[in-house]
Amino acid sequence: VQLQASGGGSVQAGGSLRLSCTTSGRTLNNDAIGWFRQAPGKGREGVSCISSSDGNTYYADSVKGRFTISNDYAKSTVYLQMNSLKPEDTAVYYCAAERLPMYGCSWYMKRGMDYWGKGTQVTVSS
């Protein structure tokens, strides 16, 4: 499984970005796809996740109401729409996949997933 994250950039606080995670060589059916982030000097944080089999989603408390995860099966792409961005959202964002997940998204948000893509930098200035 190859994952490619894109869409990062620099925005001012209050702005928006949409990240894309494209998988190559396979469809998203039966996978859980997650977005994680890591800010300088901080640990990894599970941001959001979507279970492709049933559409269930997960959001970290820090992004609830501001971020929306969605998937496009036809394009094998998962999106993370990020609105009302804050400086504390500044981080490298990674997408990851878990094939045939046995547990719910929240479990994988803490434990991590099996497949990872390269990150994309998001910088939010005040």
Side-chain angles (χ1 to χ4, degrees), residues 11 15 24 71 90 92 99 108 118:
V11 297
S24 60
N71 57 13
T90 295
V92 178
R99 296 186 62 183
Y108 292 103
K118 293 182 179 179

Side-chain angles (χ1 to χ4, degrees), residues 47-122:
V47 174
S48 184
C49 171
I50 186 166
S51 173
S52 297
S53 62
D54 57 16
N56 283 340
T57 58
Y58 166 94
Y59 296 96
D61 288 343
S62 57
V63 306
K64 279 181 182 177
R66 301 188 297 121
F67 290 11
T68 303
I69 192 169
S70 61
N71 57 13
D72 185 333
Y73 290 116
K75 296 182 179 180
S76 295
T77 300
V78 169
Y79 302 100
L80 185 68
Q81 179 67 44
M82 305 187 297
N83 298 329
S84 302
L85 283 162
K86 304 176 180 179
E88 51 264 43
D89 293 319
T90 295
V92 178
Y93 285 70
Y94 300 88
C95 66
E98 181 74 21
R99 296 186 62 183
L100 300 174
M102 296 180 62
Y103 306 102
C105 270
S106 59
W107 193 85
Y108 292 103
M109 289 288 96
K110 297 176 182 178
R111 173 262 196 184
M113 294 182 170
D114 284 345
Y115 300 95
W116 294 82
K118 293 182 179 179
T120 185
Q121 176 71 45
V122 172

